[in-house]
Each structure stands twice: as C-alpha cells, then as structure tokens.
Amino acid sequence: MIINKAEDFINHIVQRQYTVPPAVVRQVQTIVEAVKSKGDEAVTFYETKFNIKPANLQVPIEIMEQAIQDLDQDIRTALIQSITRVKEYHQKLPIPRTQEVTVGKSNITFDVRPLRRVGIYIPGGRASYPSTVVMTAIPAQVARVDEIILCTPPGPTGLPSAVTLAAARECGVNKVFCCGGAQAIAAMAYGTQSIPKVDKIVGPGNTFVTAAKKEVFGIVDIDGLAGPSEAMIVLDPTVTNKVLEWCVWDLKAQFEHDPESICVLVTTDPELAARLAPAVQEIPGHMVVCTGGWEEVCDVIEAFAPEHLELVGPGPESLAKSICNAGAVFVGPLSPVAMGDYIAGPSHVLPTGGSARCFSGLWTGSFLRVHSV
C-alpha cells in the first residue's frame, strides 16, 4: 500500500489501537480467578490444557546449570557479550538516588528503593527468546532488585527451552517456573504454593498474556500492554540501492518477529516510494508513505509513535533529536533495529500501539519506587 499524503496516513493510523477480543478477556478472567483460588493446581491444569504438562513447576537449578554446559559455544559467547553490553549501558544511566532536601523549615528525604521481587514473563510459543531474558533481568539486577523470578512455557520435553534456561542462569535469575500464558501472570500476581507473589511483572507475551497483565494491574505493577511489533523507517531520497535493500530486510525481520507487525517506510520522493512498494507489499501489514517534506515526516512520526524508528540518510538523520514519540530511535544505515534487539544496550521491551506517546521502554528506573520522608 502506498499512501501519498501525510494527512491520509495520520487519519488512518490514529484509528489503530491494540484491543483484546472480549472472548479472550472472559477466558482470562476465568483463568485468573482459578489460579487465585486454587494456586498450583490451576496453573498445572491450564498449562496441561493449553500446552503440555510441566515436568516440574519449578525448574531445578541443576537443570539450568546443565543448560549452560550444553550451550553451543558461539551462542554462549554471544549471550555473554549481550549481557555485558546491556549491563554496562544500564550501569552508566543517571539512576535516581536517595537524597535530602530542605523546603522552608522542612527536611525531606527523597527515598529511592528497588522493588523487592520482580516477575519476568518470557514467551515460548513460536521460538525461544533468550535475548528478552537479558533485556528484562539485567536492568532489574542493576536496580538491585532482591529477587527475580521468571515464568516461561514448557517445550516438548516438559521443560522450557534450554537456551532460555541458560540465559536466565547467566543473568542472575533466582527461580524459573515452567508455565506460560494467563496462568503464569496470575500466579506471579497472587502467588501460589510454589510461585511467590511479585511486586511487578514485566516482559512481552501473546494476547492472553496481555489481557492477564491488564487484569492484574493494580494488584501488581506492570511494564505496559504489549501489542504487535512495529518499525518505521524514514529514508532520504539519496540513499543507495544497497542501503534500500538493508532497510527492506529490516522490515522483513520485524515480520518474522510477529506476523501481525506493522512496519512503515516513509520518504519524500514519489519515485522512491514507487520503487519500494513491490518489496514492501510482499509483507502483510506493511506500507509506504510519501510526504511533501521533512516537516510532514515529523508529523507522521509523532502521530504513529513507533516502537522502533530508523532514520536513514541526511534528511531523516537531522530529525533524530527532535522526535518525542518513539520507543527507540536508530540513526544511520548501520544502526538496524536488530542491533537494539540484541546488543546495543537499551532494553528491547518497548511501548507499542502508539503508547510511546506516554510510555517509556523498560530501564533500570522501571524497577525503582520512591517515597518521601
């Protein structure tokens, strides 16, 4: 699809809003209530019904240690490199600290404390996501959260993916539980005989996970409501054919990430838009937008509020510091979205569905709370 007016795109895109079907909401409410009242019994029942019966609800430490030993050496090297980079980034951030101030005749302490226990949800349906373990556990660890637990669905063996278990162990996760979906979210929110109640739940998931996070919000804090993945790539008319090829691959990578992803190429050149359209039209849910100038491009970006924004070429790159509404911004042809997904440093758990207007991506500050004394 080619949209030739910025106004038309803005009118089209502002209608998008990620909503959970009512039937899913009702089913999730039933699951949450069952877990709340029956604990482990309900978790195991629903896990067996929707997926596979877990070998153990809690994964033994020795199995996690074995997962590290059995990990392909190249993958382990990449995993350690990712952990190192993400930790270094979060350690260098200006994190709020406890401080004392005087206001009039009052002595006030701005008291900053890490959350005591955090629950991480890691999907396990289409694929394994060890990178999401890194992007959630490491910021919590840098924030000095006392205890980090993790829930992820079992695979065919009745245990979670070995690479996910290895990542959890390398990232300092205290306990891993073998369950997924709404039942895992409910278990972390209310606590069961085996799974402890947490203060906050973070991490992406499918429609059932999102609905469950919304259901338990207020009982616990959550990071946000994740919808399908998004990317917007803004191209200068002067970019080379090789760079154009890379950008199309970036969009295809997002489609691989989530078949319901929404990805948009934006340019000011009608000829370039026409050249790109055939490649983009191969990818469902993707589109090309052609605007009248860079000011309109800014309007398009701010209205879309993309999860990932990639700026390629002199014109787009000049906009980098003026954009407000984006989960993460990638500047230049050698800054692909995949760099942020795995190793750049910031967490890849980012706001979607236009929520970048008011939500931030996950960071160390997400695991802190403050009060005044």
Side-chain angles (χ1 to χ4, degrees):
M1 177 194 298
I2 298 181
I3 300 177
N4 289 309
K5 288 184 180 179
E7 185 179 356
D8 290 345
F9 173 78
I10 291 170
N11 290 337
H12 169 74
I13 212 64
V14 293
Q15 303 301 320
R16 100 190 190 279
Q17 184 178 2
Y18 180 65
T19 57
V20 178
V24 172
V25 173
R26 290 191 295 270
Q27 189 172 2
V28 163
Q29 288 171 340
T30 299
I31 294 169
V32 169
E33 283 302 313
V35 173
K36 182 179 177 182
S37 61
K38 296 182 179 179
D40 287 353
E41 180 187 344
V43 172
T44 303
F45 170 79
Y46 284 112
E47 198 59 49
T48 305
K49 178 180 179 179
F50 296 128
N51 187 17
I52 191 170
K53 186 175 181 178
N56 299 96
L57 204 52
Q58 181 174 349
V59 179
I61 293 296
E62 54 268 25
I63 289 180
M64 297 170 65
E65 291 284 359
Q66 189 62 48
I68 293 176
Q69 298 304 316
D70 294 343
L71 200 60
D72 177 88
Q73 190 56 49
D74 287 343
I75 294 176
R76 187 174 185 183
T77 299
L79 180 63
I80 297 300
Q81 187 179 16
S82 176
I83 291 170
T84 302
R85 289 283 296 272
V86 173
K87 185 177 290 186
E88 181 182 355
Y89 169 78
H90 286 277
Q91 286 174 334
K92 289 182 175 179
L93 294 181
I95 300 168
R97 298 297 183 194
T98 295
Q99 58 181 305
E100 295 182 2
V101 297
T102 301
V103 181
K105 294 185 178 181
S106 299
N107 297 319
I108 303 172
T109 301
F110 177 74
D111 200 315
V112 183
R113 306 286 180 99
L115 298 173
R116 291 183 176 177
R117 183 185 290 129
V118 166
I120 294 172
Y121 184 82
I122 303 296
R126 294 191 193 94
S128 302
Y129 297 95
S131 59
T132 303
V133 179
V134 178
M135 298 295 181
T136 49
I138 294 302
Q141 191 183 69
V142 173
R144 299 183 180 179
V145 170
D146 288 343
E147 185 178 10
I148 303 170
I149 72 167
L150 184 152
C151 286
T152 190
T157 63
L159 289 167
S161 154
V163 69
T164 298
L165 293 177
R169 191 66 174 159
E170 293 282 12
C171 289
V173 172
N174 300 97
K175 297 175 182 176
V176 174
F177 296 95
C178 196
C179 59
Q183 57 273 19
I185 301 301
M188 290 190 283
Y190 291 103
T192 72
Q193 295 87 341
S194 299
I195 303 173
K197 174 180 169 60
V198 303
D199 301 315
K200 183 167 186 169
I201 298 172
V202 303
N206 63 14
T207 301
F208 286 86
V209 170
T210 300
K213 286 170 74 175
K214 189 173 183 179
E215 186 70 21
V216 302
F217 175 62
I219 303 299
V220 292
D221 191 16
I222 62 171
D223 52 351
L225 302 174
S229 182
E230 303 168 343
M232 175 174 274
I233 302 179
V234 185
L235 291 165
D236 193 281
T238 63
V239 297
T240 65
N241 288 335
K242 176 56 70 175
V243 170
L244 293 179
E245 182 184 347
W246 293 345
C247 291
V248 171
W249 276 110
D250 266 353
L251 294 190
K252 289 182 177 180
Q254 287 302 304
F255 175 67
E256 182 182 56
H257 209 68
D258 187 336
E260 295 181 359
S261 64
I262 302 172
C263 296
V264 185
L265 281 173
V266 182
T267 184
T268 56
D269 182 2
E271 184 180 333
L272 179 57
R275 284 173 54 203
L276 289 169
V280 174
Q281 285 171 352
E282 295 175 7
I283 314 170
H286 292 24
M287 62 192 78
V288 178
V289 178
C290 188
T291 72
W294 297 120
E295 187 174 332
E296 284 189 5
V297 168
C298 277
D299 293 340
V300 163
I301 294 169
E302 301 290 26
F304 186 55
E307 178 188 15
H308 307 98
L309 173 64
E310 196 168 320
L311 304 173
V312 183
E317 290 172 33
S318 68
L319 306 175
K321 293 185 179 179
S322 62
I323 298 302
C324 294
N325 299 342
V329 182
F330 301 81
V331 183
L334 298 180
S335 297
V337 169
M339 191 75 178
D341 282 345
Y342 295 106
I343 201 170
S347 176
H348 70 207
V349 179
L350 300 168
T352 60
S355 62
R357 293 190 306 275
C358 48
F359 281 81
S360 304
L362 200 68
W363 69 296
T364 297
S366 305
F367 300 99
L368 303 175
R369 58 167 301 280
V370 304
H371 67 268
S372 57
V373 180

